[in-house]
Amino acid sequence: MSLVKLTGIHKSYGDNEVLKGIDLKVNEGQVVALIGRSGSGKSTLLRTINGLERINQGSIEVDGACVDPGQSDLRALRLKVGMVFQQFNLFPHLTAGQNVMLAPVVVKKQSKADVRTIAEEALAKVGLADKFDAYPDQLSGGQQQRVAIARSLAMKPRVMLCDEITSALDPELVNEVLAVVRKLAEEGMTLLLVTHEMRFAREVCDTLVFMHKGRIAEQGAPEEVFTKPATPELAQFIGMVTER
Amino acid sequence: MAYSFDFPAVFDYTPVLVDGVVLTAALTVVSTVAGVSIGIAGAAARTSGVKALDTAVGVYVEVIRNTPFLVQLFFIFFGLPTLGIRLPEWQAAVLAMVVNLGAYSTEIIRAGIQATPRGLIEAGESLAMTRAEIFRHIVIKPAMKKIWPALSSQIVIVMLGSSVCSQIAAEELTFAANFIQSRNFRPFEVYFVVTALYLGLAVLLRWLLARFGNLVFARRAARA
């Protein structure tokens, strides 16, 4: 039984069809990397899964929460799906701890004392227990991104979406964020990542999904995908990313 | 020029001046609280994405911003009684100031709201927060912080503009000045003193608003 089930997803911006019928199933505990060139639709696909992008056709199902085109109540879906962004998007007027505590208090109406404990645990998990009272602009990019991960974790999502979460980081800060993601993967969190970190994708993910021009061109285990690409597009893409 | 200044002739009327200062201050406090509240609600309406709300508030804002305050005041005080709405002077003055500040602050606050990075709203959405929760917990405070200096200036303008309310015999500071100089025939001394009082009030108001801003928008550690 799949935790995430995408069926026939179509998405257009005006005349520009960016997703042309996507079917994808993700099982519990699976770690999936979406790879492909920019403009291939991978970020858009990820953003449809928690309703940040509305779909024109198809259906999204996450752990029993369904979304159809035009549906406006996305609460049930979003309670199951966490998201971490390229630009961190921490709330600048709140401390790290307050960033993590906000949604559980406001959305889930949990008591502040309980949420404080949850937030401390979440920040400890990303290695930032001592930064509870620091403001985002007092933290490095890597630390901010780890707070963002903790903020998402505090809502106890069933699946987490990571949208190029290391792309805005200085190279020396990438690893501390990837280490956290690796730890989550090892603990059995279901993860969908859009990433350009091919080495990381290869090591940590159990499935690679290669997208090309709004379609899933190939998917499979990383070794298979990397060593035996079936399509010329993927072969070319691998050539491009491994040259670096 | 052999004019001999006679400031004591003004200070004979100190109780009148004090009453004037008190009413000016009271008008300012009430219209600030109510006007900024309307501004927040108006800005929320204009950024809600609901076309009818946006248009309705837009009409209000443009009507007020493109007509003189004195005419708005006369309309409320002299015009509305025709419809059976008869307000005492100070109530008409408060209403005019609230309506006026409400319109200007709607636009100022809207600018702050629209400066919110899209990513912060998406972060709130992906945490399953509703539009209202996002507005209240994520958008409004940084927005108010950003536009607080501009809003403070507008509040000072409204305080100074309250002098116009003397024209409907609201007994604020300018009314007091007019009253005193009609008794002692010392316009220079009277308006000199009243100018100084307005200056003092404005400086004090700016200081209070800055302090209030620092207090409200200061960074605070989480309490559990």
Side-chain angles (χ1 to χ4, degrees):
Chain A
M1 175 59 194
S2 313
L3 186 64
V4 178
K5 195 170 146 198
L6 309 180
T7 316
I9 305 283
H10 285 260
K11 164 78 188 173
S12 303
Y13 296 107
D15 292 336
N16 181 21
E17 194 176 29
V18 290
L19 298 178
K20 301 170 183 166
I22 302 279
D23 297 296
L24 183 67
K25 287 180 182 174
V26 180
N27 293 326
E28 178 136 32
Q30 205 177 350
V31 179
V32 178
L34 299 172
I35 59 172
R37 288 198 216 169
S38 60
S40 60
K42 53 196 192 307
S43 273
T44 305
L45 177 62
L46 199 71
R47 289 162 57 84
T48 62
I49 301 174
N50 73 345
L52 286 180
E53 301 288 348
R54 302 297 172 83
I55 53 176
N56 301 113
Q57 255 184 72
S59 74
I60 296 163
E61 197 181 325
V62 179
D63 191 26
C66 302
V67 178
D68 301 312
Q71 184 168 334
S72 60
D73 184 11
L74 299 162
R75 191 184 139 91
L77 178 73
R78 286 172 173 165
L79 282 171
K80 312 231 180 209
V81 183
M83 177 114 181
V84 183
F85 300 87
Q86 183 176 350
Q87 299 294 340
F88 330 137
N89 296 342
L90 292 183
F91 308 130
H93 60 301
L94 301 177
T95 62
Q98 289 168 332
N99 263 278
V100 178
M101 289 174 67
L102 181 64
V105 170
V106 169
V107 176
K108 289 189 167 176
K109 317 280 185 226
Q110 291 172 295
S111 85
K112 272 204 167 168
D114 291 350
V115 174
R116 169 114 198 171
T117 312
I118 293 170
E120 282 167 353
E121 285 168 4
L123 283 173
K125 183 169 237 168
V126 300
L128 294 172
D130 57 331
K131 298 294 185 188
F132 196 94
D133 291 324
Y135 281 89
D137 62 10
Q138 297 166 334
L139 299 171
S140 72
Q143 290 172 330
Q144 289 188 52
Q145 192 59 295
R146 286 187 283 152
V147 172
I149 293 170
R151 178 174 70 182
S152 180
L153 283 176
M155 289 295 278
K156 313 276 183 209
R158 297 298 315 276
V159 51
M160 275 180 74
L161 312 175
C162 300
D163 190 6
E164 299 195 32
I165 62 170
T166 57
S167 299
L169 295 174
D170 292 337
E172 75 271 20
L173 302 176
V174 168
N175 281 334
E176 65 185 60
V177 172
L178 292 184
V180 170
V181 177
R182 188 187 297 261
K183 193 159 100 182
L184 292 178
E186 283 163 5
E187 288 172 4
M189 174 62 80
T190 310
L191 289 162
L192 259 98
L193 323 149
V194 169
T195 185
H196 296 291
E197 300 287 337
M198 289 306 145
R199 205 160 58 87
F200 177 80
R202 209 165 166 169
E203 285 169 21
V204 176
C205 300
D206 34 52
T207 307
L208 288 193
V209 172
F210 174 66
M211 289 188 65
H212 188 72
K213 293 187 174 167
R215 290 198 170 84
I216 293 178
E218 276 188 59
Q219 57 179 308
E223 284 316 309
E224 215 172 292
V225 168
F226 268 99
T227 53
K228 283 177 271 175
T231 56
E233 290 81 13
L234 179 56
Q236 198 198 4
F237 178 76
I238 290 169
M240 268 169 20
V241 294
T242 47
E243 265 167 29
R244 289 186 290 171
Chain B
M1 200 181 104
Y3 186 80
S4 65
F5 295 101
D6 184 8
F7 282 97
V10 179
F11 297 119
D12 290 344
Y13 292 91
T14 300
V16 180
L17 286 174
V18 169
D19 286 351
V21 168
V22 168
L23 186 61
T24 293
L27 287 173
T28 305
V29 170
V30 174
S31 59
T32 297
V33 172
V36 172
S37 302
I38 289 175
I40 292 173
R46 292 214 74 178
T47 54
S48 66
V50 181
K51 192 86 185 80
L53 266 180
D54 182 10
T55 308
V57 176
V59 168
Y60 155 62
V61 166
E62 293 312 329
V63 166
I64 298 303
R65 292 204 307 173
N66 294 291
T67 53
F69 177 61
L70 182 60
V71 172
Q72 295 163 14
L73 182 68
F74 281 174
F75 183 81
I76 288 170
F77 188 68
F78 297 119
L80 288 188
T82 309
L83 305 180
I85 303 167
R86 213 170 297 275
L87 297 174
E89 298 83 5
W90 69 271
Q91 280 183 16
V94 164
L95 182 60
M97 288 168 71
V98 166
V99 167
N100 190 272
L101 181 59
Y104 280 95
S105 57
T106 292
E107 283 306 278
I108 294 172
I109 295 166
R110 178 168 80 132
I113 290 172
Q114 288 180 333
T116 306
R118 178 82 207 135
L120 296 187
I121 294 164
E122 288 187 350
E125 285 175 348
S126 64
L127 290 165
M129 294 171 78
T130 62
R131 282 193 74 99
E133 287 163 351
I134 290 170
F135 184 82
R136 175 161 143 54
H137 296 284
I138 299 172
V139 172
I140 191 64
K141 205 166 164 185
M144 290 300 285
K145 183 178 180 178
K146 254 176 259 165
I147 55 83
W148 190 247
L151 188 60
S152 296
S153 281
Q154 191 61 44
I155 291 169
V156 172
I157 288 171
V158 165
M159 188 276 279
L160 296 176
S162 70
S163 68
V164 165
C165 301
S166 61
Q167 296 305 308
I168 59 166
E171 297 178 4
E172 45 67 70
L173 187 51
T174 305
F175 181 89
N178 296 343
F179 172 81
I180 296 167
Q181 72 93 23
S182 70
R183 292 293 182 89
N184 69 4
F185 305 110
R186 291 279 176 181
F188 182 90
E189 289 87 339
V190 171
Y191 289 116
F192 186 89
V193 168
V194 166
T195 301
L197 285 172
Y198 271 114
L199 184 62
L201 277 175
V203 170
L204 178 69
L205 181 57
R206 276 184 202 279
W207 181 78
L208 285 173
L209 289 168
R211 282 294 302 271
F212 180 79
N214 286 342
L215 207 70
V216 172
F217 304 121
R219 303 187 140 184
R220 266 171 304 211
R223 279 171 306 222

